Amino acid sequence: MTSQAAAHPVPDAGPNDVPFRYTAALADSLERRWQDEWERRGTFSAPNPSGPLTDADGQHAAPGSTPYFVMDMFPYPSGAGLHIGHPLGYIATDVVARFRRMQGDNVLHALGYDAFGLPAEQYAVQTGQHPRVTTKANIEIMARQLRRLGTGHDPRRTFATIDAGYVRWTQWIFLQIFESWYDIDAVRPDGGTGRARPISELVDHYAAGTRQVPVGIAGVPGGAQWADLDEAARRRVVDSERLAYMSETPVNWCPGLGTVLANEEVTSDGRSERGNFPVFQRTLRQWKMRITAYADRLADDLDLIDWPEKVVAMQRNWIGRSDGATVRFPVLDDGVGASSSATTSARRWVDVFTTRPDTLFGATFMVVSPEHPLLDEVPTAWPAGTAEAWTGGYADPVQAVATYRREAAAKTAVERQADAGRKTGVFTGVYASNPVNGTPIPVFTADYVLMGYGTGAIMAVPGGDTRDHAFAEAFGLPVVRTVAPPDGFEGGAWTGDGAIIGSTNDEVSLDGLSVGAAKGVIVAWLEGKGLGAGTVTYRLRDWLFSRQRYWGEPFPIVYDEHDLPIALPDSALPVELPEVPDYSPRTFDPLDSQSSPEAPLGRNEDWVNVTLDLGDGPRTYRRDTNTMPNWAGSCWYYLHYLDPEHTAAIVDPELEQYWMGPGHNPADTHRSGGVDLYVGGVEHAVLHLLYARFWHKVLYDLGHVTSVEPFRKLFNQGYIQAYAYTDARGVHVEASEVVEDPSVASGFTRQGEEVFREYGKMGKSLKNMVTPDDMYAEYGADTLRVYEMAMGPLDLSRPWETRAVVGAQRFLQRLWRNAIDETTGALRVVDGAPDAETLRVLHRTIADVTADYDAMRINTAIAKLIVLNNHLTSLAAVPREAVEPLILMTAPVAPHLAEELWERLGHTVSLAREPFPVADPVQLIEDTVTCIFQVQGKVRGRADVSQDVTEDALRGLALADPGVQRALAGRDVTKVIVRAPRLVNVVPA
């Protein structure tokens, strides 16, 4: 037994008395040992270029080394722990990180926890246990499972979003956004126009008179000058332009749960996903973030980063840029009917955004949202000639509109859009004037128009829009065409191309123009008349940032006697969550649509009403009782990995420049900067990624980061799915207890009863969970890693099959046997030189595996490692010169086994930073090629020949080949076609 073998404990005897066989028990022993060793040695300590975080030897990043920042999407620590679908992404990033280290890069790979979340709060409501206790216990479970998987994270950089030091900086970023406004004319460092600026600079503009006080702000006199305003009015002006601001916002209010819900939490029938309670539309005062100011940059800068095309398309669609015009429709005096002249009152206007201003001459009615302020004052009687179908059966517009508004308030935005086909609505009793021809047009209200989208009003052109046409038919409204339909068109709305018609007044004519030209002409005319302007709008809406929950970051804001928000100073951060008697929001009668949220934080009066000295002496203020959404902590966590111990700034500028700055990685050809590789599920394609990009761009504008984008390269891993089984009742049964049984029609039974197989997500509800702990016990972590990486392309979903795991185990067992004698534990490796064939296979494998790892084709890399391993198995003795490169190439996917073999081969330093093997170009040149011999185009023989074989030699070999001779059957040869060195075709007479 060698000294290396003797240094390791001898495991219990395995099958056939081979005590050194690579079994699950041996894997468990060596895997735990190496996990302890990596931690003890500081193997994965990523050195910063300066500061306290060095490598295990106390050295900072080597000058000239390439930094490589690889990151997983923030995990939420669930009490159920991981199932085997979860590690897929974590294994992949670990493989990449280990490969890049061996390529010589300075790799930063860390993992923290997105710890604010609804499950822990729900558990607190049910049990009374503080969410922090639950969350920390869940983090310990997940951290143990990931450590057992062998993930090489830098443990010094881990954290949770609930940590007080992290909450402080999340609140600090919120205040940076709150204390900023967006100057569309300011020049950015990257040369673009438009950026966030400190709010103090906005105040300076107002004070200097270079910026006029906007109109329409509550509590601010119209037309007032800055010098004439008192302090409260000035603050209201400034607050209206902040990037984080308070706003009266339509929300999904669920009285039965006592909280506002996101659209994703509301079912298609307008009820809460949790609890199945009714959900109502309410307008409430909420925090919002002005993400719309960044809409163009968020869309344009997608060209700078390497993301999957599907995700790029989803983000562009979510932002939804539309070019068109805002058109002003003057509201006519009360009582003006459809036959009246076009005299107008300048008291009121209805603004409409349209992408087709060229169709204005075809607008025959308008529709406003039930929340539109126009409906706050409607006529007390129906105008003369009002059609009965328009009234909804009500005696006057006041009753009709009030009733319709109440009905609309009981629907969610999702329901209202889904019900658009029903064409409900009611006439408001109000007429407006079509600005291009003065025709009075009736104004309806309908719930498919949403106040939160556009201006909350649309102009209806039934001749060119199918929805408008259906509404016009339902209410007997006129149809005017502005685009000529083709010959033979039988009616309805024509939505295709055609010549513009019927679009002329005394001052402008669009007839005969193309749509593009017509848009330009009519917009110019509208702007000249003060009736409209060219406008760009977006589907993107400002980010609703308030939650009526306990378990989240408190807002670092207090309110004064004017109910205006005041930012707390940095010295007051973090604002920590207080103790409360009850973690649940107050609930109401499920049908009480007029109730209002009462958040749990409001139950601690001593915390809510606080005396502070904010520069004017001690005064009493009121804290905000909402908390931030859990998106907040995941918007910036990548920065904290760089600098978790730094307390003087959000991130040390030198470290941000080193790890994320533009051009820090040679692949950053667009110089966007950002994380080098970000791996996670496509379900976060829009919200998380969009919100994080927005926060990052604000920080960029304010000079806190140099990278334009947070994530340069994004990779979406697929999912692991699994079979589930139901019994005759349709109830799911434990999948682990199901066996194949050809005696029943379905082919499967459980405890002798037939069950039926289905395919879907893995989880507790389907009783088909397989945990990593199960796999560690039965096979070992390395086997699980190899299997998950070998199942197929990383970006595709794939089915889990426990029985197939044994294939990965056999590969590792063969690799072990190639190096270690299973009976004695002695090395089987010899120091003799490999033969020529082994060298060719080895170096071809090195070249291919290097390319595969680099492109994240991990499954094909494993396949090629198996081929090389099988080749070595066929040899009488395994040369060290061949097996050591194989071990190094296997290390990213099976690191514990590789470290063990590396040590047993006599190495005293971890292979984690050992140079990755490099292929010898000479060995990649094929000395021989296979030449195909054909007779009349059909293959009859082959021969291995040299690359420089002559045509005469090939002709002689082909004619002498036994297979060619049999095919000729004694016939003469008319012609021999030679294409050296790969083909000879013999043509018989």
Side-chain angles (χ1 to χ4, degrees):
M1 184 179 297
T2 66
S3 59
Q4 285 82 15
H8 299 274
V10 178
D12 295 335
N16 303 318
D17 295 323
V18 281
F20 289 92
R21 174 166 293 173
Y22 183 75
T23 62
L26 179 58
D28 180 82
S29 174
L30 66 88
E31 286 169 0
R32 292 181 186 275
R33 186 174 80 84
W34 277 107
Q35 288 155 16
D36 291 340
E37 278 296 299
W38 291 330
E39 185 171 338
R40 184 183 66 81
R41 299 179 184 182
T43 300
F44 305 115
S45 294
N48 281 341
S50 63
L53 294 183
T54 64
D55 65 15
D57 298 322
Q59 300 297 311
H60 286 113
S65 62
T66 300
Y68 192 87
F69 187 3
V70 56
M71 198 172 82
D72 303 276
M73 285 191 181
F74 230 8
Y76 177 76
S78 166
L82 301 175
H83 61 63
I84 52 84
H86 293 128
L88 184 66
Y90 303 133
I91 298 171
T93 54
D94 193 57
V95 170
V96 172
R98 290 174 180 274
F99 171 67
R100 301 304 310 186
R101 280 192 201 95
M102 298 175 77
Q103 292 283 78
D105 291 349
N106 182 22
V107 176
L108 193 164
H109 189 209
L111 190 76
Y113 299 91
D114 190 9
F116 282 118
L118 186 58
E121 185 168 52
Q122 290 174 323
Y123 189 74
V125 170
Q126 296 165 6
T127 65
Q129 178 170 286
H130 197 289
R132 185 176 297 277
V133 175
T134 306
T135 302
K136 285 189 173 181
N138 294 346
I139 288 174
E140 290 178 4
I141 293 171
M142 187 171 185
R144 175 188 59 79
Q145 289 181 312
L146 288 173
R147 185 181 190 271
R148 186 63 187 83
L149 188 63
T151 49
H153 300 125
D154 185 341
R156 306 167 305 169
R157 298 176 187 261
T158 191
F159 59 88
T161 53
I162 61 174
D163 297 344
Y166 190 84
V167 170
R168 171 202 174 189
W169 288 113
T170 302
Q171 293 171 339
W172 180 88
I173 296 174
F174 173 84
L175 291 179
Q176 293 293 301
I177 300 172
F178 175 75
E179 295 285 13
S180 299
W181 63 293
Y182 200 80
D183 184 349
I184 60 174
D185 298 317
V187 177
R188 300 192 299 272
D190 61 8
T193 302
R195 66 176 176 88
R197 296 174 62 186
I199 209 76
S200 59
E201 296 179 9
L202 176 64
V203 174
D204 291 342
H205 280 297
Y206 282 127
T210 56
R211 189 178 182 91
Q212 295 301 307
V213 175
V215 298
I217 299 174
V220 180
Q225 298 299 308
W226 182 259
D228 300 330
L229 301 178
D230 62 21
E231 181 62 25
R234 290 180 177 181
R235 286 172 57 195
R236 289 188 176 95
V237 170
V238 171
D239 287 351
S240 71
E241 299 198 50
R242 295 182 186 271
L243 285 179
Y245 63 98
M246 296 292 291
S247 173
E248 295 288 333
T249 303
V251 296
N252 299 314
W253 167 235
C254 181
L257 292 176
T259 190
V260 168
L261 301 178
N263 284 342
E264 293 78 12
E265 299 171 307
V266 182
T267 65
S268 59
D269 57 355
R271 304 181 75 87
S272 63
E273 191 174 52
R274 181 170 60 92
N276 196 38
F277 292 109
V279 177
F280 304 90
Q281 285 287 297
R282 284 289 309 280
T283 299
L284 299 173
R285 192 169 182 238
Q286 305 279 291
W287 279 105
K288 298 182 79 172
M289 289 202 171
R290 210 178 300 276
I291 190 174
T292 50
Y294 286 80
D296 280 331
R297 290 169 65 182
L298 290 169
D300 293 345
D301 288 355
L302 290 168
D303 294 334
L304 305 179
I305 50 184
D306 182 7
W307 284 19
E309 187 54 43
K310 178 170 69 172
V311 176
V312 170
M314 292 169 71
Q315 289 226 346
R316 291 196 193 280
N317 180 63
W318 193 264
I319 295 165
R321 176 183 170 120
S322 296
D323 294 282
T326 300
V327 183
R328 293 200 122 180
F329 286 74
V331 174
L332 300 176
D333 289 327
D334 295 347
V336 174
S339 61
S340 303
S341 64
T343 59
T344 68
S345 166
R347 291 180 299 118
R348 293 185 294 173
W349 306 80
V350 178
D351 287 337
V352 169
F353 172 78
T354 175
T355 59
R356 292 293 305 273
D358 56 295
T359 66
L360 260 169
F361 285 90
T364 60
F365 63 98
M366 299 178 69
V367 184
V368 299
S369 164
E371 296 82 19
H372 198 285
L374 178 72
L375 305 188
D376 295 340
E377 295 182 29
V378 296
T380 57
W382 294 116
T386 298
E388 181 66 26
W390 295 9
T391 68
Y394 293 95
D396 56 65
V398 175
Q399 294 183 52
V401 169
T403 303
Y404 194 82
R405 291 179 106 175
R406 283 195 300 271
E407 292 172 351
K411 298 180 180 181
T412 66
V414 175
E415 281 185 289
R416 287 165 61 168
Q417 290 294 287
D419 289 347
R422 293 174 52 211
K423 301 300 174 290
T424 66
V426 68
F427 179 43
T428 66
V430 175
Y431 280 85
S433 173
N434 188 324
V436 295
N437 55 23
T439 302
I441 59 177
V443 180
F444 285 75
T445 183
D447 58 13
Y448 70 84
V449 179
L450 304 178
M451 194 64 209
Y453 291 83
T455 64
I458 65 167
M459 69 176 206
V461 183
D465 183 278
T466 53
R467 185 173 62 179
D468 293 346
H469 191 276
F471 195 98
E473 282 195 323
F475 289 92
L477 294 160
V479 176
V480 174
R481 297 195 186 281
T482 58
V483 177
D487 294 340
F489 183 68
E490 297 182 355
W494 171 245
T495 60
D497 294 330
I500 292 183
I501 58 174
S503 300
T504 299
N505 62 26
D506 292 340
E507 298 178 358
V508 66
S509 175
L510 308 181
D511 291 350
L513 298 178
S514 66
V515 170
K519 285 182 179 180
V521 170
I522 196 64
V523 168
W525 183 84
L526 289 167
E527 290 176 341
K529 302 289 287 186
L531 293 170
T535 308
V536 177
T537 66
Y538 303 88
R539 181 178 179 269
L540 180 68
R541 292 291 168 260
D542 280 347
W543 178 9
L544 178 63
F545 202 69
S546 295
R547 294 294 184 272
Q548 294 73 45
R549 301 197 182 280
Y550 173 78
W551 194 228
E553 299 93 342
F555 284 95
I557 293 288
V558 293
Y559 298 89
D560 64 7
E561 67 276 14
H562 302 292
D563 200 29
L564 296 176
I566 300 173
L568 291 174
D570 288 356
S571 60
L573 305 181
V575 178
E576 299 195 62
L577 287 168
E579 295 296 327
V580 294
D582 184 2
Y583 299 112
S584 61
R586 179 186 172 189
T587 58
F588 299 87
D589 183 308
L591 298 178
D592 185 3
S593 63
Q594 297 308 303
S595 54
S596 296
E598 294 184 18
L601 292 183
R603 300 190 185 117
N604 189 321
E605 290 289 337
D606 292 338
W607 183 84
V608 174
N609 298 302
V610 59
T611 300
L612 301 170
D613 186 348
L614 299 180
D616 297 327
R619 297 171 62 183
T620 299
Y621 299 92
R622 177 177 54 84
R623 294 189 190 273
D624 198 311
T625 58
N626 289 321
T627 53
M628 300 184 198
N630 63 317
W631 302 108
S634 61
C635 273
W636 72 279
Y637 68 104
Y638 52 93
L639 292 176
H640 206 57
Y641 287 143
L642 310 185
D643 204 11
E645 300 181 16
H646 195 59
T647 58
I650 184 71
V651 63
D652 185 314
E654 180 187 1
L655 303 187
E656 189 274 335
Q657 176 65 48
Y658 175 79
W659 289 110
M660 293 183 62
H664 76 276
N665 187 305
D668 183 16
T669 55
H670 292 291
R671 297 190 62 81
S672 68
V675 174
D676 296 294
L677 177 64
Y678 192 29
V679 175
V682 74
E683 69 271 17
H684 299 297
V686 175
L687 297 183
H688 158 60
L689 290 171
L690 202 63
Y691 294 156
R693 295 180 64 217
F694 164 53
W695 274 37
H696 192 87
K697 289 182 182 299
V698 175
L699 293 174
Y700 171 79
D701 287 352
L702 298 177
H704 300 298
V705 296
T706 60
S707 46
V708 180
E709 286 282 332
F711 315 117
R712 182 186 62 80
K713 181 176 177 62
L714 175 70
F715 188 95
N716 295 132
Q717 89 274 10
Y719 297 95
I720 292 180
Q721 297 171 306
Y723 290 116
Y725 300 86
T726 58
D727 60 19
R729 302 167 298 165
V731 176
H732 285 100
V733 300
E734 287 293 341
S736 60
E737 300 174 359
V738 174
V739 296
E740 292 186 10
D741 188 343
S743 69
V744 297
S746 69
F748 302 96
T749 58
R750 172 182 173 267
Q751 298 177 0
E753 297 290 331
E754 184 178 16
V755 294
F756 305 90
R757 189 168 73 173
E758 61 186 41
Y759 187 58
K761 293 179 65 176
M762 183 175 288
K764 288 197 302 182
S765 63
L766 299 186
K767 297 186 178 181
N768 62 348
M769 278 186 64
V770 179
T771 72
D773 293 336
D774 295 335
M775 290 296 100
Y776 301 153
E778 190 170 354
Y779 297 101
D782 278 343
T783 294
L784 174 62
R785 290 170 62 107
V786 171
Y787 176 65
E788 290 210 3
M789 292 296 97
M791 291 171 75
L794 189 59
D795 57 343
L796 300 181
S797 295
R798 68 289 307 272
W800 176 265
E801 181 56 69
T802 300
R803 291 173 301 180
V805 179
V806 70
Q809 185 184 46
R810 286 172 181 157
F811 161 56
L812 298 181
Q813 288 175 329
R814 290 191 184 104
L815 175 58
W816 178 266
R817 282 199 300 271
N818 276 332
I820 304 295
D821 187 291
E822 291 183 326
T823 302
T824 66
L827 286 175
R828 297 186 61 244
V829 176
V830 298
D831 291 327
D835 59 39
E837 177 63 16
T838 298
L839 283 175
R840 281 195 296 271
V841 174
L842 170 65
H843 286 278
R844 172 49 57 194
T845 302
I846 293 173
D848 290 347
V849 168
T850 301
D852 285 344
Y853 276 153
D854 195 55
M856 295 184 70
R857 296 189 299 264
I858 304 173
N859 62 312
T860 58
I862 292 172
K864 289 157 187 171
L865 292 173
I866 291 173
V867 170
L868 173 60
N869 190 53
N870 289 344
H871 174 81
L872 298 184
T873 303
S874 69
L875 302 179
V878 179
R880 177 184 293 269
E881 190 178 331
V883 78
E884 286 196 346
L886 173 58
I887 291 170
L888 291 173
M889 289 187 287
T890 305
V893 289
H896 310 89
L897 175 65
E899 286 275 25
E900 182 75 10
L901 292 177
W902 192 249
E903 183 178 84
R904 288 179 181 242
L905 284 167
H907 300 280
T908 59
V909 178
S910 169
L911 54 65
R913 288 180 171 79
E914 192 72 18
F916 200 81
V918 177
D920 182 353
V922 173
Q923 296 295 336
L924 300 180
I925 299 173
E926 295 183 13
D927 291 335
T928 62
V929 296
T930 299
C931 185
I932 304 298
F933 300 150
Q934 297 178 339
V935 176
Q936 288 185 306
K938 293 183 178 181
V939 176
R940 299 301 184 185
R942 294 178 174 83
D944 290 333
V945 298
S946 65
Q947 291 273 11
D948 55 357
V949 63
T950 64
E951 290 189 10
D952 288 341
L954 283 178
R955 186 180 293 107
L957 286 171
L959 293 175
D961 183 83
V964 172
Q965 288 295 319
R966 285 194 297 272
L968 288 175
R971 290 176 292 175
D972 292 335
V973 173
T974 300
K975 187 189 307 183
V976 177
I977 304 169
V978 179
R979 298 288 184 267
R982 297 186 180 274
L983 177 68
V984 178
N985 187 23
V986 179
V987 181

